[in-house]
Structure formats: C-alpha cells, structure tokens
Amino acid sequence: MRTHYCGTLNIDQLDQTVTLCGWAHRRRDHGGVIFIDLRDREGLAQVVCNPDLQDMFKIAESVRNEYVLRVTGEVRRRPEGSTNSNLVSGEIEILCREIEVLNTSVTPPFQLDDEHISENVRLTHRVVDLRRPQMQKNLMLRYKVSRAFRKFLDSRGFIDIETPMLTKSTPEGARDYLVPSRVHPGEFFALPQSPQLFKQMLMISGFDRYYQITKCFRDEDLRADRQPEFTQVDIETSFLGEEDIMALTEELMRTVFKEAIDVDLPNPFPRITYREAMARYGSDKPDLRVTLELVEVTDAMKDVAFKVFSSVANSAQGRIAALRVPGGAAFTRGEIDEYTKFVGIFGAKGLAYIKINDKNQLNETGLQSPIVKNLSEASLKTVIERTGAEDGDIIFFGADKEKIVNDALGALRIKIGHAKGHTNGSLWEPLWVVDFPMFEYDDEAKRWTACHHPFTSPKDDHVQYLESDPGRCLAKAYDLALNGWELGGGSVRIHKEEVQSKVFRALNIDAEEAKLKFGFLLDALQYGAPPHGGLAFGLDRIVTMMTGAESIRDVIAFPKTQRAQCLLTQAPSAVDERQLRDLHIRLRQTVQAEIS
C-alpha cells in the first residue's frame, strides 16, 4: 500500500512519486491550501493539498486528527524559509495527487503533542498514548537495545533458551504470583521471579552459554523503577570465573550503549567494594556523578556531651556519618527544614548540621549550630579535618542505626548534589560493586538470611567462615550500577554439594526443608555440575535511562500502575463463579463484597 515511511523521506527522493500511509497528526487550512502532517512510526511528512484537484481536495477538507490516510504525491522542496531542521523530512513536502481515507477516528481523548496529560489518562487510553512520537521513539529504542543484546550474545556463542512460566514456588525474596491448578485441586504454580534455578540446571545439562530476554514476576510494592512484570536479560555461563563474567558483560554493556544511542562508556568500568560504597555513598548503587561523599566520624563522638551522638557512637550497630556540602552555609532555615523532612522518609529522627563561618574558631562564633556547645573541641576538629570543610560550607550529620544513616544521608547526598550542582558534569558513570556479604542478620527472625540467594558461592578463602562466622563471609557476587540505578547483578553459583550444605546450615535450612524447596536443583547438582555463574540485566531500567524517562512505565508498551492495575484492560478483575469452581476456589464473603 505504500512505498516509503513518512519519517524516512528526505531530499534523496526529490521529484519522485511516493505513496505514504499513516495517521493525520494535524490538519491546517491556510487560505485554500490544506496542509496535513502525516505520521507513522518513523516520524512526520508534510502533505500539501491544492484545490486544483477538486475530488482530492474535497476529501482533504473532510480529514480530521487521527484519520488513517493513504496519500500519493510528488516529493518537492519546501519553500525557502519553511524548512524544519527537527525533522528528517524537514526539507521536503509531498504535493498530494491522490488521498484515500482508510478509516475515520472519533475525537481522541487528548492531543498527542500535549505534554501535560495525566498518567492515568494516558494509561487508560494507552493505544492512543502509544501513538505519541515520544512513546514511539521509546519503544523503537527498546527494540534496538534488545537487538544489540541478542547480536552481541549470539556472536559470543550464547544460545537463546526459553524456561517455564509456570513453575514451583520457591523462596527468592519477594512474594510470588500464584496460579491455581485446575487439574491438581488445591495446588498452585508460581510465575517465575527469575529463571535462576532453571538456568543453573541448563548449565548442568551442558548448555554452557545461555541467554534469554524474558518476563519475570514479583508481587511487591511498586515504584518508578518497578513493575509486577518486568523484562530481564538473563545470562549464564559455565567454566568462567568472576573476573571473566564481569569482563564479558562489561564489554556487552559498552556495545549496547554504543549501538543503541552512540554513547561510549568508559573502558574499563571503575570498581568498588560493597563496604566502601556504603561507607562513602550510603548506597550499593552509588551515583558517581554526584561529587559529595559521606565521611565516618563515629569514633570521634564516643565521649561528647551530646547524647544523641554519644549513645549511637557507643552502640554496636550505630553509625555517625558527616556530609559536607560546599557553599551550604547559605542554605536557609526553610531549606534545612525541608531536608530534615526528607531524611525522615528513611527513618532518620532528625538532621543535625553545622554551618562553617570560620573553621579556625571551634566555638559557637565560628561554627553556627545548636549542637556545637555539646561537642568537644577535639571532635569538632576531627570532623572539619576529615570532611575537608572550608568557610561557607555546611556539614550534615546522620546518627542512628547504620542502615538508617546510609539510607538517609545517601539519599540526601543525591538530592542536594543534583539540585545544587555538585556534580562532575559526566552524563554516564558506570560502576562495578563487588565483594558483597554472603549473609545479613535478621533481628526479628534471629537468623542469617542470604543477601542474594542461597546458591551464591562464597569467596574461596571464605568457605571456612560459613559455619564459624557467617557475617564475615564474602560472596562471589557483583552488581553493575549506572547513575545511581542498578542495571544488573549476578554471582558465581555454588556447584559443590558440600559447600551448598554448609550454606544451608548457615541459613538454618535443614535437609528436609532444602529438599522440599529446592529438591529438583539439589538432585541435578549431583550429576557433575560444572563451575558456573551469570548475571541478569534489567532491560526496562536500561531503556528508561537511555530515554531519560521518569518511569519504566514509559518504556513498556502496556504497563501497570503503582497499584498493579492495568487501566486499559481493567485488570485485575473479578471472574465468574464457574471459573472459580473449576479451580476449586471459594472466595470469602468479605472479599466478594469488596469486589461487588
């Protein structure tokens, strides 16, 4: 039906007769001459309809926004002064000879070039929303990113293998989506949180290089970078160690960014340990574009009169960190109050600060703050020396349990850094975070839990700590962060039964429980499991960062809201009683009342 896409036409087609198909983006009547901006997935082309062809012109007069049209005409230069450098087709226009209305349209719910449409309206009318040029660009870029992943992995000998969507519910950190079985009453499948166990079994099966661009499902609270169903680039390989996997996937990311958006990421990526990342940035996915850093001052506060500090400093789980902001002494009281409210979101009970008027006067004259009188001269000197504070700066303090301090000051660092211009000017800052702890202690459950998953391998020289001191044990785990987002993470897996047994014992998982939850994998590990490991990238997050979108919902064709609803299809929804009976399910009356 057509010879060209609208958005690909340019001066090379000058004087050619072309046929285009697309949607009427806008129609303009300029004193008897009608201009139609015709739109397809590649962009816009300007169509000029003159009244000398009466039949054609009569049809053009009837055209309204979003009518589906087929246009045939001659490519000619636009008149001088009317070119549009923002369009590929901006130097030319189509002198219309024939026009056909393939379908009409009701008035769309919003103008496609309106930048202030509420997200609920957009998601309710997602079919129309996806016609917007920005959404078309986003999904085209998503395709290019997926293609770049496949091209690279195919060239390195990886095989694309699908794994099941209906599988067994296993503990992987988030709540499973459950699917009731009709033929097995009272039993349930689970949708996979990741293909983790299946890809390990593929390694045992001898497919030593596997990948899959696959859907994963987690029934958890949502936010801008989370969806109940998301897309993962899943990679697993045998006979490669930690360094080999990181080198391969680092090259992969450089290739994807270059091919998709022509960005040259650094070579090599910098690397930092988990412990250092938390100490300096309060995050295991730090944004290195921000130049502000946290500084440890716990030891300097053990003997101060300020009980808020000294009690924390003498607590085994406490941390006191300082965040110096150059020029921050100019912050108003209102700004400081807003920052105090902000850190409260992360559990901080307050936000102590010191404004540096004269760093050489270690008293209330040189240092402006309600807490100065309760701090010793030695502690103040230590803080100023370690932070490198100068006159005109402000120092914020976090004093609480280590996690609260890291979360609160880490987030404040990002907020102030970007708002006040404390950045290095770089657009892209990738970073490997390595040497993660194997376990973290759950105070409520009074037991160790796996930081990643229970099949992550410990460092070779840390196997000895699995039974004697699990908190000291580091994992062969690695995460790739970019601009404060985790792009992907992975690990080398356990392939020896005796090491796996020690990990289960550290997690207080006995043999019976392990068999119940992971029996199929444990059985497979007995049949000559090779050393193996891998990594998974979040495709949605990568494309979101590349497009500069505020939410991953803008790079997913049909996403859910933050309440895990699809406004387009009105899912989830009630089902009739017959369907429930087939599944051997009976709803409680309270639930039925809520549905009705």
mmCIF file with all atom_site columns, all heavy atoms in Angstrom, residues 112 162 230 301 339 341 360 392 439 583:
data_model
loop_
_atom_site.group_PDB
_atom_site.id
_atom_site.type_symbol
_atom_site.label_atom_id
_atom_site.label_alt_id
_atom_site.label_comp_id
_atom_site.label_asym_id
_atom_site.label_entity_id
_atom_site.label_seq_id
_atom_site.pdbx_PDB_ins_code
_atom_site.Cartn_x
_atom_site.Cartn_y
_atom_site.Cartn_z
_atom_site.occupancy
_atom_site.B_iso_or_equiv
_atom_site.pdbx_formal_charge
_atom_site.auth_seq_id
_atom_site.auth_comp_id
_atom_site.auth_asym_id
_atom_site.auth_atom_id
_atom_site.pdbx_PDB_model_num
ATOM 1  N N   . LEU A 1 112 ? -2.037  14.649  20.928 1.00 0.00 ? 112 LEU A N   1
ATOM 2  C CA  . LEU A 1 112 ? -0.829  13.829  21.034 1.00 0.00 ? 112 LEU A CA  1
ATOM 3  C C   . LEU A 1 112 ? 0.412   14.643  21.362 1.00 0.00 ? 112 LEU A C   1
ATOM 4  O O   . LEU A 1 112 ? 1.398   14.095  21.841 1.00 0.00 ? 112 LEU A O   1
ATOM 5  C CB  . LEU A 1 112 ? -0.609  13.025  19.746 1.00 0.00 ? 112 LEU A CB  1
ATOM 6  C CG  . LEU A 1 112 ? -1.249  11.627  19.751 1.00 0.00 ? 112 LEU A CG  1
ATOM 7  C CD1 . LEU A 1 112 ? -2.752  11.722  19.874 1.00 0.00 ? 112 LEU A CD1 1
ATOM 8  C CD2 . LEU A 1 112 ? -0.868  10.857  18.502 1.00 0.00 ? 112 LEU A CD2 1
ATOM 9  N N   . GLU A 1 162 ? 14.344  -20.858 26.132 1.00 0.00 ? 162 GLU A N   1
ATOM 10 C CA  . GLU A 1 162 ? 13.219  -20.459 26.956 1.00 0.00 ? 162 GLU A CA  1
ATOM 11 C C   . GLU A 1 162 ? 13.101  -21.360 28.186 1.00 0.00 ? 162 GLU A C   1
ATOM 12 O O   . GLU A 1 162 ? 13.390  -22.559 28.122 1.00 0.00 ? 162 GLU A O   1
ATOM 13 C CB  . GLU A 1 162 ? 11.912  -20.526 26.157 1.00 0.00 ? 162 GLU A CB  1
ATOM 14 C CG  . GLU A 1 162 ? 11.833  -19.514 25.027 1.00 0.00 ? 162 GLU A CG  1
ATOM 15 C CD  . GLU A 1 162 ? 10.522  -19.593 24.280 1.00 0.00 ? 162 GLU A CD  1
ATOM 16 O OE1 . GLU A 1 162 ? 9.765   -20.559 24.508 1.00 0.00 ? 162 GLU A OE1 1
ATOM 17 O OE2 . GLU A 1 162 ? 10.256  -18.691 23.463 1.00 0.00 ? 162 GLU A OE2 1
ATOM 18 N N   . PHE A 1 230 ? 8.317   -7.588  34.661 1.00 0.00 ? 230 PHE A N   1
ATOM 19 C CA  . PHE A 1 230 ? 9.400   -6.800  34.089 1.00 0.00 ? 230 PHE A CA  1
ATOM 20 C C   . PHE A 1 230 ? 10.242  -7.707  33.203 1.00 0.00 ? 230 PHE A C   1
ATOM 21 O O   . PHE A 1 230 ? 10.123  -8.931  33.242 1.00 0.00 ? 230 PHE A O   1
ATOM 22 C CB  . PHE A 1 230 ? 10.246  -6.165  35.196 1.00 0.00 ? 230 PHE A CB  1
ATOM 23 C CG  . PHE A 1 230 ? 10.819  -7.152  36.184 1.00 0.00 ? 230 PHE A CG  1
ATOM 24 C CD1 . PHE A 1 230 ? 12.106  -7.651  36.028 1.00 0.00 ? 230 PHE A CD1 1
ATOM 25 C CD2 . PHE A 1 230 ? 10.070  -7.582  37.264 1.00 0.00 ? 230 PHE A CD2 1
ATOM 26 C CE1 . PHE A 1 230 ? 12.638  -8.564  36.933 1.00 0.00 ? 230 PHE A CE1 1
ATOM 27 C CE2 . PHE A 1 230 ? 10.587  -8.490  38.181 1.00 0.00 ? 230 PHE A CE2 1
ATOM 28 C CZ  . PHE A 1 230 ? 11.873  -8.984  38.000 1.00 0.00 ? 230 PHE A CZ  1
ATOM 29 N N   . MET A 1 301 ? 32.885  10.715  68.296 1.00 0.00 ? 301 MET A N   1
ATOM 30 C CA  . MET A 1 301 ? 31.724  11.161  69.065 1.00 0.00 ? 301 MET A CA  1
ATOM 31 C C   . MET A 1 301 ? 31.437  10.307  70.295 1.00 0.00 ? 301 MET A C   1
ATOM 32 O O   . MET A 1 301 ? 30.413  10.482  70.942 1.00 0.00 ? 301 MET A O   1
ATOM 33 C CB  . MET A 1 301 ? 30.473  11.155  68.156 1.00 0.00 ? 301 MET A CB  1
ATOM 34 C CG  . MET A 1 301 ? 30.607  12.030  66.930 1.00 0.00 ? 301 MET A CG  1
ATOM 35 S SD  . MET A 1 301 ? 30.783  13.789  67.372 1.00 0.00 ? 301 MET A SD  1
ATOM 36 C CE  . MET A 1 301 ? 31.081  14.523  65.764 1.00 0.00 ? 301 MET A CE  1
ATOM 37 N N   . TYR A 1 339 ? 15.045  19.508  54.129 1.00 0.00 ? 339 TYR A N   1
ATOM 38 C CA  . TYR A 1 339 ? 15.969  18.373  54.115 1.00 0.00 ? 339 TYR A CA  1
ATOM 39 C C   . TYR A 1 339 ? 15.723  17.465  55.319 1.00 0.00 ? 339 TYR A C   1
ATOM 40 O O   . TYR A 1 339 ? 15.848  16.240  55.227 1.00 0.00 ? 339 TYR A O   1
ATOM 41 C CB  . TYR A 1 339 ? 17.423  18.862  54.112 1.00 0.00 ? 339 TYR A CB  1
ATOM 42 C CG  . TYR A 1 339 ? 17.832  19.597  52.854 1.00 0.00 ? 339 TYR A CG  1
ATOM 43 C CD1 . TYR A 1 339 ? 18.703  20.682  52.909 1.00 0.00 ? 339 TYR A CD1 1
ATOM 44 C CD2 . TYR A 1 339 ? 17.346  19.205  51.606 1.00 0.00 ? 339 TYR A CD2 1
ATOM 45 C CE1 . TYR A 1 339 ? 19.086  21.352  51.758 1.00 0.00 ? 339 TYR A CE1 1
ATOM 46 C CE2 . TYR A 1 339 ? 17.722  19.876  50.447 1.00 0.00 ? 339 TYR A CE2 1
ATOM 47 C CZ  . TYR A 1 339 ? 18.585  20.954  50.534 1.00 0.00 ? 339 TYR A CZ  1
ATOM 48 O OH  . TYR A 1 339 ? 18.957  21.617  49.390 1.00 0.00 ? 339 TYR A OH  1
ATOM 49 N N   . LYS A 1 341 ? 12.812  16.973  56.805 1.00 0.00 ? 341 LYS A N   1
ATOM 50 C CA  . LYS A 1 341 ? 11.619  16.183  56.472 1.00 0.00 ? 341 LYS A CA  1
ATOM 51 C C   . LYS A 1 341 ? 11.973  15.060  55.498 1.00 0.00 ? 341 LYS A C   1
ATOM 52 O O   . LYS A 1 341 ? 11.476  13.933  55.610 1.00 0.00 ? 341 LYS A O   1
ATOM 53 C CB  . LYS A 1 341 ? 10.550  17.080  55.854 1.00 0.00 ? 341 LYS A CB  1
ATOM 54 C CG  . LYS A 1 341 ? 9.904   18.050  56.816 1.00 0.00 ? 341 LYS A CG  1
ATOM 55 C CD  . LYS A 1 341 ? 8.854   18.898  56.081 1.00 0.00 ? 341 LYS A CD  1
ATOM 56 C CE  . LYS A 1 341 ? 8.270   19.958  56.997 1.00 0.00 ? 341 LYS A CE  1
ATOM 57 N NZ  . LYS A 1 341 ? 7.318   20.836  56.257 1.00 0.00 ? 341 LYS A NZ  1
ATOM 58 N N   . ASN A 1 360 ? 38.546  28.081  61.839 1.00 0.00 ? 360 ASN A N   1
ATOM 59 C CA  . ASN A 1 360 ? 39.623  28.186  62.827 1.00 0.00 ? 360 ASN A CA  1
ATOM 60 C C   . ASN A 1 360 ? 39.101  28.517  64.220 1.00 0.00 ? 360 ASN A C   1
ATOM 61 O O   . ASN A 1 360 ? 39.854  28.461  65.189 1.00 0.00 ? 360 ASN A O   1
ATOM 62 C CB  . ASN A 1 360 ? 40.629  29.256  62.388 1.00 0.00 ? 360 ASN A CB  1
ATOM 63 C CG  . ASN A 1 360 ? 41.352  28.848  61.105 1.00 0.00 ? 360 ASN A CG  1
ATOM 64 O OD1 . ASN A 1 360 ? 41.790  27.714  60.978 1.00 0.00 ? 360 ASN A OD1 1
ATOM 65 N ND2 . ASN A 1 360 ? 41.441  29.773  60.150 1.00 0.00 ? 360 ASN A ND2 1
ATOM 66 N N   . GLY A 1 392 ? 32.105  28.781  54.776 1.00 0.00 ? 392 GLY A N   1
ATOM 67 C CA  . GLY A 1 392 ? 30.994  28.872  53.837 1.00 0.00 ? 392 GLY A CA  1
ATOM 68 C C   . GLY A 1 392 ? 30.319  27.547  53.561 1.00 0.00 ? 392 GLY A C   1
ATOM 69 O O   . GLY A 1 392 ? 29.307  27.506  52.860 1.00 0.00 ? 392 GLY A O   1
ATOM 70 N N   . PHE A 1 439 ? 25.749  -12.986 53.779 1.00 0.00 ? 439 PHE A N   1
ATOM 71 C CA  . PHE A 1 439 ? 24.563  -13.042 54.633 1.00 0.00 ? 439 PHE A CA  1
ATOM 72 C C   . PHE A 1 439 ? 24.341  -11.712 55.332 1.00 0.00 ? 439 PHE A C   1
ATOM 73 O O   . PHE A 1 439 ? 25.264  -10.918 55.506 1.00 0.00 ? 439 PHE A O   1
ATOM 74 C CB  . PHE A 1 439 ? 24.729  -14.128 55.712 1.00 0.00 ? 439 PHE A CB  1
ATOM 75 C CG  . PHE A 1 439 ? 25.173  -15.465 55.196 1.00 0.00 ? 439 PHE A CG  1
ATOM 76 C CD1 . PHE A 1 439 ? 26.498  -15.886 55.344 1.00 0.00 ? 439 PHE A CD1 1
ATOM 77 C CD2 . PHE A 1 439 ? 24.277  -16.311 54.565 1.00 0.00 ? 439 PHE A CD2 1
ATOM 78 C CE1 . PHE A 1 439 ? 26.908  -17.112 54.876 1.00 0.00 ? 439 PHE A CE1 1
ATOM 79 C CE2 . PHE A 1 439 ? 24.678  -17.547 54.092 1.00 0.00 ? 439 PHE A CE2 1
ATOM 80 C CZ  . PHE A 1 439 ? 25.996  -17.952 54.243 1.00 0.00 ? 439 PHE A CZ  1
ATOM 81 N N   . LEU A 1 583 ? -11.558 -24.116 39.390 1.00 0.00 ? 583 LEU A N   1
ATOM 82 C CA  . LEU A 1 583 ? -10.249 -24.047 40.037 1.00 0.00 ? 583 LEU A CA  1
ATOM 83 C C   . LEU A 1 583 ? -10.317 -24.464 41.499 1.00 0.00 ? 583 LEU A C   1
ATOM 84 O O   . LEU A 1 583 ? -9.318  -24.376 42.221 1.00 0.00 ? 583 LEU A O   1
ATOM 85 C CB  . LEU A 1 583 ? -9.691  -22.620 39.937 1.00 0.00 ? 583 LEU A CB  1
ATOM 86 C CG  . LEU A 1 583 ? -9.365  -22.143 38.519 1.00 0.00 ? 583 LEU A CG  1
ATOM 87 C CD1 . LEU A 1 583 ? -9.054  -20.647 38.504 1.00 0.00 ? 583 LEU A CD1 1
ATOM 88 C CD2 . LEU A 1 583 ? -8.195  -22.934 37.949 1.00 0.00 ? 583 LEU A CD2 1
#
